[in-house]
Amino acid sequence: MGHHHGHHHHHHGDASSQRIGLAFWLNLFFTIIEFIGGILTNSTAIIADAVHDLGDSLSLGLAWLLNKLGAKQATTGFTYGYKRFSLLGALINAIVLIAGSTWVLFEAIPRLTDPVMPNTEGMIYLAILGIVVNGYAAFKLAGGQTLNERVLNWHLLEDVLGWVAVLIGAIVMTFVDWPIIDPLLSIAFTAFILLNVVRNLIETLKLFSQANPSPKLYQEVQDAIRDVEHVADIHHMHLWSLDGESHVLTAHVELKDDFNNAEHYLAVKEAINQAVSRFEIFHTTIELEFKSEACRLD
């Protein structure tokens, strides 16, 4: 006796898609300017940021695509719909950034022993542009609730901070002959990127492994069902998440007695529904077991 209640309506799919699309085009356009700028100014710090931005552009493009897919209705092939695709996006995204970061380190570390003075004036102009473009994109994505948007917003905020650092570094190098600032900056950015990527990667892999997305929520749902009248106990309760946001719950609920009529049974079922509905779970399946019935999974 399963029941499904999709009391969960997401209307932010389109808005989310538009936000990500806008951020994608901004970023892609800017990445191209940046690679050219990095080569012309001979700055590894700008190249490091360009790689980072390229990673972001890819992730944004992918997120945009997956966001469109994720909003599609479930099919018999993908019975839960396409929400998990955004996790795939977050994963590919992390791999791209790790590869890019490694490349930057290979470029920057040799320069520590033999630093080259970059064109600081060009760096200053690029940095100001970088702060404006990434700041605007981050501002647009700040309203997003999906894990994907959170991850992307992180990238864009990192970029803004990165550009602030490039700006400060370029200004210092304009007045002082310290070319080593440039490779040091690129190494610092890269370490920072890697730290966050690894954190997000762990989160993503946990969701892929169907880990419990929220032990607190799990406990609250369990307590709420146990508090319903006529409920003796609950077991085989599973909570996992499609994309970090849409959760799926299944449970076996043991009743204190056998019911002699359907009304009584439906009343308890309705009470359990009421208890669970406030948690906004994307999909629930609950099986009720009479007192005299043995659980088929034990």
Side-chain angles (χ1 to χ4, degrees):
M1 293 148 299
H3 57 253
H4 331 282
H5 279 272
H7 297 301
H8 209 44
H9 304 294
H10 276 310
H11 295 298
H12 63 240
D14 295 340
S16 166
S17 190
Q18 278 170 349
R19 285 196 295 266
I20 294 178
L22 176 77
F24 166 68
W25 288 115
L26 266 176
N27 238 42
L28 185 65
F29 175 67
F30 185 61
T31 302
I32 297 164
I33 292 177
E34 221 176 332
F35 268 111
I36 298 166
I39 292 160
L40 292 178
T41 55
N42 192 17
S43 161
T44 51
I46 286 182
I47 299 255
D49 226 286
V51 167
H52 187 187
D53 263 355
L54 175 68
D56 292 353
S57 298
L58 287 178
S59 357
L60 283 160
L62 207 64
W64 192 26
L65 189 76
L66 295 173
N67 203 288
K68 285 188 182 312
L69 257 182
K72 278 171 58 173
Q73 288 303 303
T75 61
T76 48
F78 288 89
T79 54
Y80 275 116
Y82 295 83
K83 287 185 184 300
R84 296 220 93 179
F85 277 72
S86 73
L87 281 187
L88 197 57
L91 183 69
I92 293 171
N93 183 350
I95 294 166
V96 168
L97 283 172
I98 288 170
S101 301
T102 312
W103 180 68
V104 172
L105 289 176
F106 272 105
E107 290 291 304
I109 290 169
R111 281 210 184 187
L112 289 173
T113 49
D114 183 22
V116 187
M117 182 56 99
N119 171 346
T120 53
E121 194 187 343
M123 283 178 79
I124 291 173
Y125 291 133
L126 272 171
I128 292 169
L129 188 64
I131 291 168
V132 173
V133 174
N134 287 295
Y136 181 68
F139 170 72
K140 283 307 234 190
L141 282 184
Q145 275 93 43
T146 60
L147 182 68
N148 225 327
E149 280 178 292
R150 286 212 307 274
V151 169
L152 296 169
N153 193 31
W154 240 118
H155 289 343
L156 297 168
L157 283 173
E158 284 167 17
D159 281 353
V160 174
L161 291 174
W163 283 114
V164 170
V166 168
L167 183 61
I168 295 168
I171 291 170
V172 171
M173 284 187 288
T174 305
F175 297 108
V176 193
D177 186 25
W178 286 346
I180 197 159
I181 287 179
D182 186 63
L184 283 177
L185 274 176
S186 54
I187 291 165
F189 294 161
T190 306
F192 182 64
I193 298 164
L194 285 172
L195 204 72
N196 283 307
V197 168
V198 169
R199 242 200 10 242
N200 287 322
L201 187 60
I202 291 168
E203 190 63 28
T204 305
L205 291 174
K206 267 164 69 178
L207 290 175
F208 260 125
S209 314
Q210 298 195 342
N212 177 351
S214 165
K216 181 170 163 287
L217 176 68
Y218 183 90
Q219 198 51 58
E220 284 173 0
V221 174
Q222 201 169 34
D223 293 344
I225 295 176
R226 279 212 176 103
D227 287 346
V228 174
E229 210 188 342
H230 302 296
V231 168
D233 202 8
I234 177 170
H235 58 271
H236 290 303
M237 177 165 151
H238 306 290
L239 180 69
W240 58 281
S241 187
L242 293 172
D243 60 358
E245 182 191 8
S246 304
H247 302 333
V248 178
L249 171 82
T250 61
H252 285 201
V253 177
E254 294 170 49
L255 303 174
K256 285 179 179 156
D257 35 29
D258 290 353
F259 297 134
N260 43 15
N261 63 23
E263 280 81 53
H264 195 176
Y265 175 74
L266 288 173
V268 173
K269 218 172 152 171
E270 186 48 41
I272 292 172
N273 263 343
Q274 284 301 315
V276 174
S277 68
R278 68 189 169 92
F279 294 107
E280 293 239 309
I281 292 168
F282 174 69
H283 183 101
T284 60
T285 307
I286 293 175
E287 180 162 347
L288 301 183
E289 293 172 358
F290 291 148
K291 188 172 192 297
S292 59
E293 187 182 358
C295 175
R296 62 193 165 77
L297 291 178
D298 286 344

